[in-house]
Amino acid sequence: MRLVVDLNRCQSYGQCVFAAPEVFRFRGEESLEYDHVPDETNREDVQRAVAACPVQAIRSDRVGEHAVAPARQGEGRS
């Protein structure tokens, strides 16, 4: 599993830190740090973190696959 967090989109709500504390943490008050390739045992927590992010800044995939971003409201409609 590989993680990418769009730090330009991240607003430091911290929902990911609560959902997967072994993977995400704050350094200082707003600087997010995370494990880019977390252990597979954290997959369920990471999936919760991806779903909980209010600005959908977290993307996850398996190593070797392309990252898939969660759909944002209003996207994908024609």
Side-chain angles (χ1 to χ4, degrees):
M1 174 175 36
R2 184 179 59 187
L3 287 178
V4 177
V5 177
D6 183 342
L7 296 175
N8 292 316
R9 183 179 289 181
C10 177
Q11 298 295 309
S12 300
Y13 288 105
Q15 298 302 308
C16 57
V17 176
F18 292 112
E22 299 83 17
V23 178
F24 299 93
R25 63 206 147 276
F26 281 121
R27 179 177 179 192
E29 292 185 23
E30 295 184 3
S31 180
L32 181 69
E33 293 182 335
Y34 64 100
D35 184 354
H36 296 255
V37 186
D39 191 276
E40 284 293 323
T41 59
N42 295 318
R43 176 170 287 285
E44 191 173 316
D45 289 346
V46 168
Q47 290 174 335
R48 269 197 293 264
V50 170
C53 180
V55 294
Q56 300 172 341
I58 306 168
R59 290 190 266 173
S60 70
D61 65 1
R62 293 181 189 266
V63 173
E65 295 178 356
H66 295 287
V68 177
R72 295 191 320 199
Q73 263 185 332
E75 287 187 348
R77 296 182 186 169
S78 52

